[in-house]
């Protein structure tokens, strides 16, 4: 009996090895009985590749993060009903196992509505085919499909033992997403309330063993979830219920980019200010959205008009490189916060006001204290005396004093390096192209469609979003020749019009309401005339109340032929219209470069500025491990593939707007992505996106790689080329007593020269500094320590001033 009892306990103990308990109180998550501060970052698995995941996660951990947060992408996993995809960059279980292998926690945001600037907010378009379907409201069709998918994901995670109670990394799970932002704009408040409570009940009955969260659900909060905050700042937000922790699920590190917009940049100083303020005001878990933004491969970008790049100005750039100084500055902040973890989650706290916008907070635990002091003025520095010591706080900054005596970190003082990333042309011969016309002939009549209808239908429902393209085709008999204007009213986003096989007009909508008109002169001949209209979408709406009902295509029209001279017209809106989704090249899978395709080339010459044209070339993979991008300047709009892998939509002919924020940048004051307060914008008046990521895993070493372009609008590939991305200049500024570390950031990449080592540099930026007092001693020290090295560290001493230079801030610049 004793042996059997002993065996039972041994088996039970083995079964519990590595299992983690997760609960919470008002001061934080409680993991294995210990209150914790959690620093997390969003990395979306489909926006990178499985080969990139370990490195991205490793960099996140080295940056001081405890956890990785990700959405789950329903329409990526189930683009056709009950046909699932969990392969490649949709292998969500593999992604969570990589997080586990790195020794990090995970936050699973199932949604399954996710927003995320993802096509249709992550919801599959086929849902629209189900009778009685109302998205995100209390109705059986939607709730049934939502529960089916949610249960599928949870069971996959359970089978792989990914939840904390099973020994896995997942410590929190999220159901729904930002529903509170739209509830007030929905007419049926009762249905909305019933739906959100149903979501919470459905989630909790899954028995995942970790708390469920709902973000932006400040009103009508179900009792069995923890509501959380999203935004640029969440320090002044508190849960409305007692006993739950203050969690920040999305700290926006930048902003997404649209085809007509410049690049948004949120400064490292401002993000650090926001994070420090959050923890000063009793925050417990904060997540950077995004920590790595990545790429909207294929047709996954939402919007409409969201770019293929989802860089987001995140601490890791689109390609996974460190964005310095943002990455390093936040890493230093994380280290200081972690050193204070116990006192922050257990200590008593006292807030002391020093007048408007200035406050100190002292946390005390036993004989130990830790302090924060913040200055919310955006136009003046202040002196604050704390426990007999006066501290100077720059405007819009937070100082952290782990012992309430010495400032260990100030959010406005960056001591980590700045890296300027450069895109270097690939050495080699100019690319040689062949081409193939898109076969439009089958679509130039109204025959052989999928079906006919005597009305103009909505595009998303008609095509179930299986292609960007939908053909609307009709015909009419006409007596004699006549000139008309073809008038089409459409909800776009693009439109190409053909009459009797000839392209007579093309137009795209401005970013906004996506309603526009095409008005093109046409000539009809005697007899039967064919009108073919090709409507195209550029990502589907992903956010807002009833976003799914925003129409696309030529729904309702009207479509008319107008005779200007006579003032008469022919309304074709209720003609018999033939419908067909997609292009012939899509059905033939030309992007896969199968044998037997007839590519044309006359001694390397190709037609240019020809709409609906396929181009093909081959190239050798650039040597080394640097990021690879393809420069598509000269092209108009289309799609690019490398070795059959879809890089996403390209549109380099679209120019980013000039905006007020393009010519002003100051970290001080609140960051805004919309309205009059925008700042720190770059790329104004330039191509919205010129470079497109080619992950190394898409390439074959030592053999030709194939690049295929589908040029929809007519462009010139002559200057297309491959480039590599690496650090060019690296710079840092420091005061006497600081240690300066410079690094090229990539294995095998070394510094070739030290270019600047001066006090008081007044002009320019990293890579082009000017002025100041050159310090020969500093220059000599940095040259000796850094040239030929991947990284180096030099202590700044008073001896560096000498020779007439006033001590102060030393600026150093080196070239990698």
């Amino acid at each position: 009996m004793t042996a059997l009892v002993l065996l039972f306990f041994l088996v039970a103990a083995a079964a519990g090895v590595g299992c983690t308990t997760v609960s919470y109180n008002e001061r934080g998550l409680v993991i294995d009985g210990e209150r914790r501060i959690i620093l997390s970052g969003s990395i979306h698995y489909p926006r990178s590749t499985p080969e990139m995941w370990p490195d991205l996660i490793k960099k996140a951990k080295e940056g001081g993060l405890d956890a990785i947060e990700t959405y789950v992408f329903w329409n990526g996993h189930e683009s056709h009903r009950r046909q699932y995809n969990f392969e490649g960059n949709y292998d969500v279980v593999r992604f969570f196992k990589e997080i586990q292998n790195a020794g990090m926690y995970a936050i699973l945001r199932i949604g399954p509505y996710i927003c995320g600037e993802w096509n249709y907010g992550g919801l599959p378009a086929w849902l629209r085919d189900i009778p009685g379907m109302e998205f995100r409201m209390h109705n059986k069709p939607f709730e049934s499909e939502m529960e089916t998918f949610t249960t599928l994901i949870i069971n996959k995670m359970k089978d792989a033992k990914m939840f904390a109670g099973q020994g896995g990394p997942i410590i929190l799970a999220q159901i729904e997403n930002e529903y509170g932002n739209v509830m007030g704009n929905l007419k049926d408040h009762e249905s909305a309330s019933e739906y959100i409570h149903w979501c919470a009940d459905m989630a909790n009955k899954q028995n995942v063993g970790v708390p469920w969260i709902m973000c932006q659900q400040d009103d009508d909060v179900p009792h069995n979830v923890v509501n959380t905050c999203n935004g640029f700042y969440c320090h002044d937000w508190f849960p409305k219920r007692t006993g739950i922790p203050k969690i920040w699920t999305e700290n926006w590190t930048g902003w997404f980019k649209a085809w007509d917009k410049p690049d948004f940049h949120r400064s490292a100083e401002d993000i650090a200010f926001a994070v420090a303020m959050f923890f000063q005001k009793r925050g417990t878990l904060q997540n950077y959205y995004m920590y790595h933004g990545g790429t909207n491969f294929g047709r996954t970008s939402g919007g409409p008009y969201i770019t293929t790049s989802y860089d987001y100005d995140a601490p890791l750039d689109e390609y996974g490189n460190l964005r310095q100084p943002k990455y390093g500055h936040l890493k230093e902040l994380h280290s200081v916060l972690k050193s204070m973890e116990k006192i922050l989650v257990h200590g008593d706290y006292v807030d002391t006001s020093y007048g408007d916008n200035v406050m100190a907070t002292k946390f005390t635990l036993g004989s130990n204290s830790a302090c924060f002091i913040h200055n919310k003025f955006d136009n003046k520095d202040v002196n604050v005396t704390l426990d007999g010591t006066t501290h100077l706080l720059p405007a819009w900054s937070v100082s952290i004093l782990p012992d309430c005596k010495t400032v260990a970190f100030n959010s406005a003082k960056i001591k980590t390096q700045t890296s300027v990333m450069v895109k270097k042309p690939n050495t080699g011969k100019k690319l040689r192209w062949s081409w193939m016309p898109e076969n439009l002939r089958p679509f130039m009549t109204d025959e052989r469609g999928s079906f006919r209808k005597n009305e103009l239908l909505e595009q998303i429902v008609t095509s179930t979003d299986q292609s960007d393209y939908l053909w609307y085709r009709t015909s009419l008999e006409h007596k004699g020749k006549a000139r008309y204007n073809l008038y089409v009213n459409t909800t776009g986003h693009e439109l190409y019009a053909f009459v009797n096989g000839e392209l007579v007009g093309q137009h795209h909508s401005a970013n906004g309401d996506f309603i526009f008109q095409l008005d093109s002169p046409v000539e009809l001949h005697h007899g039967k005339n064919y009108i073919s209209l090709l409507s195209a979408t550029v990502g589907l709406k992903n956010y807002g109340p009833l976003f799914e009902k925003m129409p696309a295509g030529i729904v309702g029209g009207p479509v008319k032929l107008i005779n200007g001279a006579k003032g008469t017209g022919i309304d074709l809106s209720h003609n018999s219209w033939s419908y067909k989704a997609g292009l012939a090249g899509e059905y033939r899978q030309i992007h896969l470069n199968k044998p037997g395709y007839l590519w044309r080339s006359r001694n390397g010459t190709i037609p240019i500025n020809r709409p609906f044209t396929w181009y093909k070339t081959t190239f050798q993979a650039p040597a080394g491990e640097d990021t690879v991008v393809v420069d598509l300047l000269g092209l108009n709009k289309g799609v690019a593939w490398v070795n059959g892998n879809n890089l996403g939509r390209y549109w380099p002919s679209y120019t980013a707007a000039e905006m007020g924020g393009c010519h002003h940048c100051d970290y001080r004051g609140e960051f805004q992505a919309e309205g009059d307060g925008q700042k720190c914008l770059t790329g104004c008046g330039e191509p919205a996106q010129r470079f497109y990521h080619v992950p190394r895993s898409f390439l074959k070493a030592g053999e030709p790689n194939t690049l295929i372009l589908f040029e929809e609008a007519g462009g010139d590939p002559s200057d297309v080329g491959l480039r590599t991305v690496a650090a060019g200049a690296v710079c840092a500024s420091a005061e006497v007593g600081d240690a300066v570390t410079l690094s090229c950031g990539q294995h095998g990449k070394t510094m070739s020269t030290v270019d600047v080592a001066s006090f008081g540099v007044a002009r320019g930026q990293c890579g082009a500094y000017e002025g100041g007092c050159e310090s020969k001693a500093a220059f000599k020290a940095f040259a000796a320590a850094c040239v030929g090295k991947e990284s180096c560290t030099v202590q700044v001493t008073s001896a560096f001033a000498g020779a007439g230079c006033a001590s102060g801030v030393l600026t150093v610049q080196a070239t990698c």
Side-chain angles (χ1 to χ4, degrees):
M1 178 66 71
T2 303
L4 286 174
V5 171
L6 178 61
L7 178 61
F8 171 80
F9 280 113
L10 287 173
V11 170
V17 168
C19 294
T20 299
T21 61
V22 184
S23 59
Y24 56 84
N25 58 36
E26 70 281 356
R27 294 297 292 274
L29 286 186
V30 181
I31 300 177
D32 287 336
E34 296 288 337
R35 293 181 187 173
R36 296 290 309 275
I37 277 176
I38 298 295
L39 298 165
S40 176
S42 291
I43 299 175
H44 292 161
Y45 54 95
R47 284 177 159 144
S48 54
T49 65
E51 292 77 10
M52 294 171 66
W53 295 342
D55 183 62
L56 296 173
I57 294 166
K58 176 174 177 285
K59 288 172 177 171
K61 185 174 184 179
E62 290 173 349
L65 298 191
D66 307 296
I68 302 297
E69 179 186 280
T70 186
Y71 284 131
V72 176
F73 298 79
W74 186 0
N75 58 10
H77 291 295
E78 193 180 0
S79 61
H80 296 80
R81 194 179 188 198
R82 304 299 182 263
Q83 298 178 34
Y84 298 109
N85 175 21
F86 291 96
E87 304 295 324
N89 63 339
Y90 286 97
D91 190 345
V92 62
V93 171
R94 177 177 170 181
F95 181 71
F96 277 87
K97 286 183 177 179
E98 295 288 2
I99 297 171
Q100 183 179 37
N101 292 341
M104 299 183 73
Y105 296 125
I107 300 172
L108 175 67
R109 304 180 77 188
I110 295 177
Y113 164 73
I114 61 170
C115 180
E117 293 72 59
W118 188 266
N119 192 51
Y120 226 31
L123 299 181
W126 52 258
L127 290 172
R128 297 280 297 273
D129 292 339
I130 298 174
M133 175 66 64
E134 287 188 78
F135 284 19
R136 304 173 75 201
M137 297 292 278
H138 185 51
N139 64 99
K140 187 173 182 180
F142 185 76
E143 290 173 350
S144 175
E145 292 297 330
M146 177 175 168
E147 183 171 11
T148 296
F149 181 74
T150 300
T151 303
L152 172 75
I153 295 300
I154 287 172
N155 286 343
K156 278 190 168 292
M157 293 299 164
K158 285 182 176 179
D159 291 346
K161 301 190 183 328
M162 288 291 105
F163 288 102
Q166 302 174 292
I170 299 172
I171 57 171
L172 290 174
Q174 178 180 307
I175 197 69
E176 246 296 334
N177 189 61
E178 296 185 331
Y179 196 65
N181 289 356
V182 301
M183 278 186 76
N185 295 311
L186 299 172
K187 292 182 179 179
D188 193 339
H189 297 293
E190 182 179 354
S191 177
S193 178
E194 288 177 333
Y195 165 70
I196 203 64
H197 285 269
W198 171 86
C199 288
D201 292 339
M202 182 271 290
N204 276 275
K205 78 178 184 181
Q206 301 282 345
N207 296 317
V208 298
V210 300
W212 284 94
I213 60 175
M214 273 187 183
C215 64
Q216 293 296 95
Q217 192 64 38
D218 286 348
D219 297 315
D220 200 6
V221 186
H223 69 92
N224 45 1
V225 297
V226 175
N227 63 309
T228 69
C229 181
N230 293 351
F232 290 116
Y233 308 94
C234 281
H235 48 269
D236 287 333
W237 175 90
F238 288 89
K240 291 186 176 179
R241 299 205 324 267
T242 59
I244 65 174
K246 179 174 175 175
I247 294 176
W248 190 0
T249 33
E250 292 188 14
N251 175 2
W252 301 327
T253 56
W255 201 241
F256 61 87
K257 180 177 171 65
W259 289 112
D260 64 328
K261 296 293 191 298
D263 299 300
F264 290 82
H265 301 282
R266 188 181 181 200
S267 70
E269 296 98 324
D270 184 58
I271 299 174
F273 170 83
V275 174
M277 286 283 288
F278 179 73
F279 285 102
Q280 179 178 2
K281 294 197 171 185
R282 275 70 75 189
T284 62
L285 182 156
Q286 85 88 37
N287 175 77
Y288 296 107
Y289 187 101
M290 301 291 297
Y291 199 75
H292 169 256
T295 305
N296 291 316
F297 296 113
R299 302 178 56 248
T300 59
S301 61
Y305 280 26
I306 300 295
T307 57
T308 295
S309 172
Y310 197 66
D311 180 87
Y312 219 88
D313 200 41
L316 301 179
D317 70 15
E318 177 182 358
Y319 321 120
N321 299 313
L322 305 187
R323 173 170 276 117
Q324 298 284 29
K326 187 173 285 189
Y327 175 90
H329 192 49
L330 296 176
K331 178 178 179 178
E332 291 179 359
L333 170 60
H334 302 156
S335 177
V336 173
L337 290 171
K338 281 297 183 179
S339 74
M340 302 158 56
E341 180 176 35
K342 191 169 185 179
I343 197 168
L344 292 181
V345 296
H346 288 282
D348 297 324
Y349 52 87
V350 176
D351 294 324
T352 302
S353 173
Y354 289 79
D356 290 344
N357 294 325
V358 182
M359 178 177 286
T361 303
K362 178 180 280 190
F363 292 82
T364 303
L365 183 64
S367 60
N368 298 315
S369 295
C371 293
F372 294 79
I373 316 172
H374 74 242
N375 173 14
K376 289 171 64 178
F377 284 109
D378 61 10
N379 60 356
K380 66 177 181 179
D381 303 343
V382 297
N383 286 303
V384 174
T385 300
L386 179 68
D387 293 343
T389 302
T390 300
H391 304 278
L392 174 65
L393 265 76
W396 200 256
S397 77
V398 180
S399 284
I400 305 177
L401 302 79
D403 58 359
C404 288
K405 298 175 182 177
T406 305
V407 175
F409 181 88
N410 178 271
S411 61
K413 294 183 177 181
I414 293 180
K415 296 183 178 181
T416 193
Q417 76 175 40
T418 295
S419 299
V420 177
M421 306 303 288
V422 296
K423 296 178 174 70
K424 302 176 181 178
N426 188 37
T427 55
K429 296 180 180 179
K430 197 176 177 80
L431 297 175
R432 291 177 59 86
W433 295 89
S434 55
W435 72 284
M436 181 193 305
E438 166 65 19
N439 184 15
L440 298 173
R441 187 178 302 169
F443 304 102
M444 294 300 102
T445 72
D446 61 349
E447 300 166 3
R448 296 191 299 175
S450 298
F451 64 94
R452 304 189 75 92
K453 201 82 172 178
N454 287 83
E455 60 180 312
L456 292 160
L457 301 177
E458 198 277 331
Q459 182 167 346
I460 302 170
V461 173
T462 305
S463 68
T464 60
D465 194 39
Q466 297 304 310
S467 169
D468 282 356
Y469 303 102
L470 178 66
W471 289 98
Y472 296 72
R473 297 172 293 152
T474 192
S475 59
L476 73 157
E477 293 285 344
H478 192 271
K479 292 183 178 181
K481 290 184 179 181
R483 294 181 183 274
Y484 292 88
N485 269 35
L486 174 63
Y487 174 88
V488 183
N489 184 74
T490 179
T491 56
H493 315 138
E494 297 180 279
L495 184 65
Y496 294 85
F498 300 82
V499 173
N500 296 324
E502 296 294 326
L503 179 63
V504 296
Q506 62 188 87
H507 193 44
H508 69 261
S509 172
N511 190 1
D513 293 333
F514 298 97
I515 298 174
F516 68 96
Q517 295 76 39
L518 182 143
D519 192 348
S520 296
V522 301
E523 184 174 322
L524 300 189
H525 56 234
H526 179 76
K528 195 167 193 177
N529 292 262
Y530 295 99
I531 295 174
S532 300
L533 304 176
L534 179 61
S535 177
T537 55
V538 190
L540 302 185
K541 191 171 177 64
N542 54 264
Y543 181 75
L546 306 177
F547 73 89
E548 74 281 2
K549 294 187 178 180
M550 176 181 175
I554 317 172
V555 53
V559 175
K560 297 180 178 180
L561 289 167
I562 301 172
N563 188 317
K566 297 181 180 180
T568 58
I570 305 170
D571 192 338
L572 303 174
S573 304
H574 297 287
N575 260 32
S576 174
W577 289 90
S578 172
Y579 291 89
K580 182 73 173 178
L583 300 174
E586 292 180 290
Y587 290 106
R588 294 177 63 201
Q589 297 183 311
I590 289 175
H591 66 278
L592 295 180
N593 194 33
K594 295 178 180 178
Y597 290 158
L598 261 131
W599 294 95
R600 308 176 187 182
S601 179
R602 295 180 181 175
N603 300 317
T605 61
I606 54 170
I608 61 173
N609 300 321
R610 183 185 189 279
F612 301 102
T613 301
W614 295 81
Y615 296 103
K616 182 180 79 165
T617 190
T618 59
F619 63 95
Q620 292 292 326
E625 299 178 359
D626 291 345
T627 298
V628 179
V629 296
V630 59
D631 180 357
L632 297 183
L633 193 65
L635 293 173
N636 196 331
K637 180 185 178 291
V639 184
W641 293 263
V642 168
N643 296 329
N645 298 286
N646 193 327
L647 304 186
R649 299 183 186 96
Y650 66 76
W651 206 349
S653 63
Y654 212 131
T655 301
E658 285 280 353
M659 299 166 64
C662 297
H663 309 290
H664 165 69
C665 191
D666 189 337
Y667 78 86
R668 296 173 300 180
E670 287 195 356
F671 182 86
Q672 298 179 33
E674 298 171 339
D676 296 332
Q678 294 173 332
K679 56 185 178 180
C680 302
L681 303 176
T682 63
C684 309
E686 299 176 7
Q689 187 179 345
R690 172 178 174 177
F691 301 100
Y692 297 79
H693 186 203
V694 184
R696 283 279 177 178
S697 60
F698 288 2
L699 299 174
K700 298 176 287 188
E703 58 180 300
N705 294 272
T706 302
L707 169 64
I708 291 180
L709 309 172
F710 171 61
E711 177 51 61
E712 166 199 306
D716 182 357
S718 302
D719 292 327
V720 167
L722 280 296
R723 297 197 178 203
T724 54
V725 183
V730 293
C731 309
S733 296
E735 298 173 316
V736 171
D738 292 336
V740 174
T741 298
L742 297 176
S743 171
C744 290
Q746 291 166 296
H747 179 68
K749 192 77 62 179
T750 62
M751 282 167 270
S752 58
T753 60
V754 172
D755 309 306
V756 176
S758 300
F759 286 92
V761 170
R763 297 186 304 278
Q765 56 189 0
C766 186
Y769 280 124
E770 297 177 1
C773 179
E774 182 177 328
S775 168
K776 292 183 179 179
F779 190 94
K780 183 177 179 181
F782 277 93
C786 302
V787 173
K789 306 289 179 57
E790 293 182 12
S791 64
C792 61
T793 301
V794 177
Q795 191 80 23
V796 179
T797 70
S798 57
F800 285 179
C805 290
S807 61
V809 177
L810 173 71
T811 298
V812 183
Q813 175 181 304
T815 298
C816 290

